[in-house]
């Protein structure tokens, strides 16, 4: 593999991690103890809820792209975003119903943040799997061409 690509990938990974830490520190300072605790609570629950929302879609995308090198004829890519959105709606309705009965005071801004985060995280996992699958398929096509 190209050393320049490895260095760029490491740079972007570490930059993203440092930005996440910096943003987290800034949010803690801006929101204060109580609001940041509520934000962290909803964020951790959103991460847990996201797992059944994506329900193996990234792995299925990688599997389907691995079967064939035709990048534009994959039904799993077409229906995966609808699947994630429908799962998010069903699971979030149940979760919001649970919160409504179990918590006395709810900040509705955090519920909307929760819904947005679950949806954005699920779709970004899907898109990351598509990018990974396309890059592997592209690399595999170039490797076979070089041996011919």
């Amino acid at each position: 593999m190209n050393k320049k690509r490895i260095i760029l990938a490491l740079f972007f990974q570490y930059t993203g991690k440092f930005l996440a830490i910096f943003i987290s520190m800034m949010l803690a300072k801006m929101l204060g103890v109580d609001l940041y605790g509520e934000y962290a609570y909803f964020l951790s629950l959103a991460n847990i809820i996201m797992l059944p929302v994506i329900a193996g879609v990234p792995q299925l995308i990688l599997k389907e792209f691995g079967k064939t090198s035709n990048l534009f004829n994959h039904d799993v890519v077409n229906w995966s975003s609808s699947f994630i959105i429908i799962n998010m709606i069903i699971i979030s309705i149940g979760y919001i119903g649970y919160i409504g009965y179990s918590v006395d005071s709810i900040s509705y801004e955090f519920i909307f943040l929760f819904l947005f985060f679950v949806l954005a995280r699920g779709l970004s996992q899907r898109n990351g799997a598509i990018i990974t699958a396309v890059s592997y398929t592209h690399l595999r096509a170039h490797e076979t061409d070089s041996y011919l």
Side-chain angles (χ1 to χ4, degrees):
M1 191 179 249
N2 191 355
K3 287 184 181 183
K4 184 177 179 183
R5 282 183 150 180
I6 293 172
I7 292 171
L8 275 174
L10 286 173
F11 172 75
F12 286 127
Q13 282 182 353
Y14 285 116
T15 303
K17 291 188 189 307
F18 285 125
L19 278 175
I21 291 170
F22 179 73
I23 290 171
S24 177
M25 290 182 344
M26 293 304 294
L27 277 174
K29 193 172 197 174
M30 289 171 37
L31 293 177
V33 176
D34 292 337
L35 284 177
Y36 188 74
E38 194 173 340
Y39 166 75
Y41 171 72
F42 279 108
L43 194 63
S44 64
L45 287 177
N47 279 324
I48 292 170
I49 296 294
M50 187 202 57
L51 295 175
V53 167
I54 60 174
V57 169
Q59 291 81 10
L60 182 63
I61 289 172
L62 289 172
K63 177 185 163 195
E64 290 298 317
F65 269 91
K67 286 181 181 178
T68 177
S69 62
N70 187 359
L71 302 176
F72 302 105
N73 191 16
H74 291 287
D75 292 332
V76 72
V77 172
N78 296 332
W79 64 262
S80 62
S81 58
S82 301
F83 177 79
I84 289 172
I85 292 170
I86 290 170
N87 271 353
M88 192 262 323
I89 291 169
I90 292 170
I91 291 171
S92 296
I93 287 172
Y95 176 68
I96 290 171
Y98 168 74
I99 288 178
Y101 290 113
S102 65
V103 177
D104 294 334
S105 65
I106 300 173
S107 176
Y108 291 104
E109 293 86 13
F110 284 117
I111 289 178
F112 289 120
L113 179 67
F114 164 79
L115 294 175
F116 174 74
F117 183 75
V118 169
L119 181 63
R121 189 75 192 256
L123 292 176
S124 70
Q125 291 282 329
R126 171 194 169 266
N127 292 340
I130 292 171
I131 290 170
T132 302
V134 168
S135 65
Y136 282 145
T137 306
H138 181 71
L139 286 174
R140 190 175 60 211
H142 284 296
E143 286 176 1
T144 56
D145 288 344
S146 63
Y147 291 117
L148 294 178

